[in-house]
Amino acid sequence: MKMVIAIVQDQDSQSLSDVLTKNDFRTTKLVSTGGFLRAGNTTFLCGVEDERVNELLNLINKTCGNREQIVTPVTPMGGNADAYIPYPVEVEVGGATVFVMPIEQFHQF
């Protein structure tokens, strides 16, 4: 048994949730915030049998695509904000950060 933790951009959250439900994966969704863009993310927790891990990873990969987005960086932490002039920059967003961890025990009551 494995615990798959997938952190996805909010824009992909509903699509991924629908795909996982359709393919009989049970998940728990948590609201989270990214560090770099300080944008909303959704973290999916999913307990999966070892033989279904690759299927789950493929669904995440297909559903959560990368895309380019123009963002204006937030004011820097510390320092003088009066001299800071934010310029829009193009960054790659989307995709998913996924952790796969072994589980010693799994109980469902």
Side-chain angles (χ1 to χ4, degrees), residues 45-59:
L45 305 176
C46 190
V48 183
E49 297 295 333
D50 289 346
E51 58 272 3
R52 293 196 72 199
V53 170
N54 285 334
E55 178 186 356
L56 175 59
L57 294 176
N58 287 332
L59 291 171

Side-chain angles (χ1 to χ4, degrees), residues 3-6 13 16-30 42-48 56 60 108:
M3 169 63 74
V4 176
I5 301 172
S13 175
L16 182 59
S17 182
D18 292 344
V19 166
L20 295 180
T21 300
K22 180 180 176 186
N23 287 277
D24 297 321
F25 287 102
R26 294 182 179 187
T27 62
T28 299
K29 290 176 22 175
L30 305 173
T42 300
T43 300
F44 288 84
L45 305 176
C46 190
V48 183
L56 175 59
I60 294 169
Q108 189 170 6

